[in-house]
Amino acid sequence: MAKHPSHPLESAIRLQRLLARAGHGSRRECEELIREGRVEVDGETVQQMGVRVDPDKQKVLVDGCRIRLPKFQYYAVNKPPGVVSTCRDPSGRTRVIDLINTDERVYNVGRLDKSSEGLILVTNDGELANRLTHPRYGVEKTYLVTVAGRPSIADLQSLKRGVHLAEGFARVSDVRIKKRRRHCTDLKIILGEGRNREIRRLLAQIGHKVTRLKRLAIGPLHLNELPVGAHRRLEQSEIKSLWRACSGKPAGQAPGNYGRRGDTRSRSVQSEKSGVKGRPSATRGRFQKKRGKPSRLVRGRK
């Protein structure tokens, strides 16, 4: 079965989304085109929202002209330090997209700051880019980080529990020590979100400066042996695996919202401290029923 290039796991997409991808404006503007009766699918005018079409099998016209979809491109790039992850740079510095030879307008998915290095995805598939970067889909990114000093196990556990940053609570999905050296330590860190310079700020909170940061993986896509500054086209199987990674049911709340009212995950973190699964530590020890006398409430004992 033919699959639409913007989502290899689906065969049909919403009409307004297809029109936007073909360059007929934003989705809202494309909805107006549909309401005005200027769009035809297989010779019939469509004026209702929500119609799904398969561009590989159906003929879609706007004002009598058949739409044409640009060919999607996907590249894995090993970003060197000193290269910027921006589409426009008034200073004229080398950008990630400058490392790729293509006539299509492409952009990088997410960012690595100028001094960071490693894997970055470059594409013109906006839908995939949005899902890979949006926190609610929880696509994990893996990093190799070298920090000054020797962080303790307690320090690393605090990163997993969460650290307060200026814009809210943040935490790592996992952190492990790869190698300890005399004056520095190599850490493997996994993030489920990607705030600006998040790893550097998290480690600064526990008193350890980042001296090197390298991204190793984005979901199922790995850097492997790709040389520094080089790029390669993604295989079809890799594109599908990226879609699978971000096509599940979105999480009910972004990872950065831990500790807010109504977030059950903040309770589970507290429960680990109390040793009671599923119960907030704040209620542990306040009042509990004494065995054999259910009608009497006594203060909890440690």
Side-chain angles (χ1 to χ4, degrees), residues 222-238:
H222 292 263
L223 182 63
N224 294 329
E225 301 301 323
L226 186 64
V228 176
H231 68 278
R232 66 172 180 85
R233 285 182 178 268
L234 266 59
E235 301 290 339
Q236 191 64 27
S237 59
E238 293 176 312

Side-chain angles (χ1 to χ4, degrees), residues 34-158:
I34 296 173
R35 292 191 183 96
E36 293 170 2
R38 298 166 58 184
V39 182
E40 298 179 15
V41 177
D42 292 338
E44 296 185 4
T45 301
V46 177
Q47 292 182 280
Q48 295 181 344
M49 297 300 110
V51 174
R52 301 180 73 88
V53 296
D54 186 342
D56 294 327
K57 297 180 179 179
Q58 295 177 281
K59 186 177 181 181
V60 181
L61 306 178
V62 177
D63 295 333
C65 299
R66 187 167 186 173
I67 66 170
R68 294 184 178 181
L69 292 173
K71 185 177 181 180
F72 285 116
Q73 297 185 1
Y74 307 85
Y75 300 93
V77 181
N78 189 349
K79 174 192 169 308
V83 175
V84 296
S85 303
T86 181
C87 292
R88 296 179 181 178
D89 184 58
S91 301
R93 295 171 295 181
T94 302
R95 306 167 299 173
V96 171
I97 56 177
D98 293 330
L99 302 176
I100 298 175
N101 297 321
T102 178
D103 295 330
E104 293 287 343
R105 178 182 175 272
V106 294
Y107 43 86
N108 44 267
V109 179
R111 293 188 177 189
L112 288 172
D113 59 49
K114 181 182 177 182
S115 56
S116 299
E117 58 186 295
L119 179 64
I120 192 164
L121 178 65
V122 174
T123 184
N124 55 353
D125 188 342
E127 183 67 20
L128 178 61
N130 177 64
R131 291 193 178 214
L132 289 175
T133 54
H134 201 294
R136 71 173 182 166
Y137 291 99
V139 179
E140 295 182 333
K141 286 83 175 178
T142 306
Y143 301 83
L144 179 62
V145 184
T146 302
V147 298
R150 299 166 64 88
S152 66
I153 299 299
D155 288 335
L156 302 184
Q157 287 297 326
S158 69

Side-chain angles (χ1 to χ4, degrees), residues 230-287:
H231 68 278
R232 66 172 180 85
R233 285 182 178 268
L234 266 59
E235 301 290 339
Q236 191 64 27
S237 59
E238 293 176 312
I239 299 170
K240 289 183 178 181
S241 67
L242 285 173
W243 271 110
R244 291 190 186 97
C246 60
S247 293
K249 185 177 180 180
Q253 194 166 13
N257 291 339
Y258 291 102
R260 292 186 182 180
R261 185 176 182 181
D263 191 310
T264 58
R265 287 177 291 182
S266 64
R267 298 179 183 177
S268 65
V269 173
Q270 295 173 345
S271 300
E272 291 176 4
K273 297 180 181 179
S274 66
V276 180
K277 185 177 182 180
R279 292 186 59 185
S281 60
T283 60
R284 170 74 172 171
R286 290 183 62 190
F287 297 100

